[in-house]
Amino acid sequence: MTSLQTRVCFVIPTYNEALNVTSLLQRLTELYPSPDVTFLIVDDESPDGTGRLVQASAATDHRVHLLEGKRRGFGQAYVRGMTYALDVLDADVVVQMDADFSHDPADVGKLLAGLSDGADVVIGSRYVSGGAVDRRWHVGRRMLSRWGNRFARLIAGMKAVRDCTAGFKAIKATALRAAKVEEIRVQGHTFQVVLLHRLIRTGAKVIEEPIYFRDRDRGHTKLGIGSILEFFYNVWWLYLASHWTFVKFVLTGLTGILVNLGSFFLLLELGMHKFLASPIAIELSIISNFLINNHWSFADRVMTDRAHTRIMKYNLVALSTLVLSYVTFIVLSFLFSEASPVLLQGCGILPAGFLNYFMNSSWTFRETDRDGPR
Ligand code: GDD
Ligand code: MN
């Protein structure tokens, strides 16, 4: 990855880092002298004059760039910086890190080496063996980081990653583009989790390299309560996002239950025999569910089958669903002849619903294989 053709861009957000930024840039430019490396400082008009110091560094080394903007939070600074690195500086690899020396500039080589070995994302990780955080971090901050990580790994479904709030990563441009970093809307430190979640979901191969995270010597952390609240709130959104199709399917199913039981009840009221009313009610709910699933639940999939094949398959699945719930209804009717028919009709919905989801998800609305070479 450190070969001549690879353009590596460091993206470093700063807010009031006048005490760190000059020495950081000096250290980085010495360590990474290749002309293919650029250093992009994303400063949000820091009142302490960080921007001017960056301009001074840029005057002595033209690989240093300053991207200035209004303050919209740490996450948005990264969105802006990474987009600029991809689109303007034409980076092949983006390295993200803090400006306060918490991330040792000398560790970047290790991250880049991981990319050469075939990973798309290499995390500088505090929570794999060999990694650590500074003992100076007070117990509250330590717990927040530990438990924040556990929470995100569990809820957002990223168990394989130990340090998913890490701010030190090397990322291939291909992976960053696939993850659509420019669409990320969160403002605070949650950015790290959201980005990682997107990278994983779009198929990036992620590995972790142990690092020692040093507490800053100069300046102050900008991690505030707003950022922490945003984190816990957003992790739940990630949970819903990764199960969104299923959530939509279940909601669709709920409307199906209303259609099913509602029409069954009406047909009974009209004097129809229950053994005839049952399949008609089931069929009506199948039709309404198809329309909603096709136009909503699975609408964002890039699907293998053409629409007419899909409709055919859906009808076959519907048929098996109808048979399963009808058989369930008949069997239960004989087993519990005293029970209310509406209740028994309802009992057929659950097994039929699961069968319906798995067959439709993996067959009818099957996604195109996206695992091409990247
Ligand atoms: N442009 C910009 N705008 N930069 C910002 C802003 C902002 O609003 N807020 C913070 N920064 C910059 C800081 O100047 C620093 O270079 C870097 O972002 C990290 O900010 P800190 O305030 O030092 O963060 P931290 O040390 O509390 O958090 C670190 O650890 C977290 C995990 O425990 C960071 O690495 C986080 O990314 C990480 O999630
Ligand atoms: Mn810091």
Side-chain angles (χ1 to χ4, degrees):
M1 266 305 137
T2 37
S3 69
L4 279 177
Q5 269 72 44
T6 307
R7 286 176 297 269
V8 176
C9 179
F10 285 72
V11 177
I12 305 170
T14 54
Y15 193 75
N16 286 346
E17 298 289 0
L19 298 172
N20 292 310
V21 76
T22 305
S23 48
L24 179 78
L25 282 170
Q26 193 177 352
R27 181 96 175 100
L28 284 172
T29 49
E30 276 166 20
L31 275 171
Y32 305 98
S34 159
D36 293 322
V37 177
T38 48
F39 307 91
L40 177 65
I41 301 289
V42 189
D43 187 62
D44 290 350
E45 300 175 345
S46 298
D48 74 348
T50 302
R52 260 176 287 132
L53 294 171
V54 175
Q55 276 163 351
S57 298
T60 61
D61 190 325
H62 294 295
R63 299 174 306 150
V64 173
H65 300 259
L66 171 65
L67 183 63
E68 279 185 300
K70 288 257 175 295
R71 192 172 188 195
R72 293 206 178 83
F74 173 78
Q76 288 308 302
Y78 261 130
V79 169
R80 208 149 37 92
M82 288 182 172
T83 308
Y84 190 88
L86 293 177
D87 296 347
V88 181
L89 300 177
D90 208 14
D92 301 310
V93 168
V94 166
V95 173
Q96 60 161 148
M97 67 188 289
D98 297 346
D100 56 3
F101 286 97
S102 282
H103 302 138
D104 186 346
D107 282 339
V108 175
K110 190 157 68 174
L111 304 188
L112 295 176
L115 293 185
S116 319
D117 291 345
D120 298 304
V121 178
V122 184
I123 300 173
S125 174
R126 300 161 293 178
Y127 301 127
V128 288
S129 91
V133 293
D134 201 320
R135 291 177 176 286
R136 289 180 295 172
W137 251 22
H138 61 81
V139 63
R141 183 65 207 261
R142 244 174 236 261
M143 300 240 298
L144 181 67
S145 179
R146 274 270 174 201
W147 287 98
N149 253 292
R150 289 212 175 111
F151 177 71
R153 286 174 62 208
L154 189 74
I155 305 302
M158 302 194 290
K159 284 209 194 67
V161 177
R162 297 257 144 202
D163 191 349
C164 54
T165 57
F168 196 21
K169 300 188 203 76
I171 310 167
K172 279 182 185 159
T174 45
L176 213 45
R177 286 212 163 89
K180 298 205 170 97
V181 61
E182 70 280 0
E183 289 180 1
I184 295 178
R185 292 285 169 267
V186 293
Q187 297 190 337
H189 287 51
T190 320
F191 171 80
Q192 313 293 11
V193 184
V194 174
L195 175 62
L196 187 64
H197 192 261
R198 281 172 169 256
L199 287 164
I200 291 172
R201 275 190 33 113
T202 48
K205 181 172 179 258
V206 180
I207 61 166
E208 291 175 89
E209 286 288 339
I211 57 134
Y212 177 72
F213 182 96
R214 191 186 158 74
D215 198 11
R216 57 163 73 234
D217 292 319
R218 289 175 288 257
H220 302 283
T221 177
K222 284 94 202 169
L223 181 68
I225 186 73
S227 201
I228 296 170
L229 291 177
E230 186 190 42
F231 174 84
F232 286 100
Y233 162 80
N234 261 280
V235 169
W236 281 110
W237 272 113
L238 293 181
Y239 173 83
L240 285 183
S242 45
H243 300 83
W244 192 226
T245 306
F246 184 68
V247 172
K248 287 187 193 171
F249 185 85
V250 170
L251 292 176
T252 306
L254 292 178
T255 68
I257 291 176
L258 289 182
V259 173
N260 184 339
L261 297 184
S263 51
F264 184 62
F265 180 75
L266 276 178
L267 293 171
L268 290 182
E269 288 289 292
L270 292 174
M272 191 180 275
H273 189 272
K274 62 181 178 179
F275 282 171
L276 181 60
S278 171
I280 293 177
I282 294 168
E283 185 56 35
L284 285 175
S285 68
I286 288 170
I287 292 169
S288 70
N289 279 5
F290 168 73
L291 293 173
I292 304 177
N293 280 323
N294 190 59
H295 294 290
W296 187 52
S297 317
F298 298 98
D300 57 353
R301 287 198 181 176
V302 182
M303 288 180 271
T304 318
D305 294 321
R306 297 172 152 278
H308 58 267
T309 317
R310 225 150 55 213
I311 290 169
M312 213 182 64
K313 283 183 169 183
Y314 194 91
N315 276 298
L316 287 173
V317 174
L319 196 65
S320 61
T321 311
L322 183 141
V323 170
L324 181 65
S325 41
Y326 191 34
V327 167
T328 309
F329 176 72
I330 290 174
V331 170
L332 291 176
S333 295
F334 285 111
L335 288 177
F336 309 99
S337 47
E338 304 297 305
S340 127
V342 174
L343 184 74
L344 298 180
Q345 174 81 344
C347 290
I349 293 169
L350 203 66
F354 274 107
L355 179 73
N356 197 282
Y357 179 74
F358 288 110
M359 288 181 75
N360 279 319
S361 179
S362 57
W363 191 50
T364 314
F365 301 110
R366 185 162 46 119
E367 250 179 314
T368 311
D369 224 346
R370 282 186 300 183
D371 293 341
R374 281 203 297 145

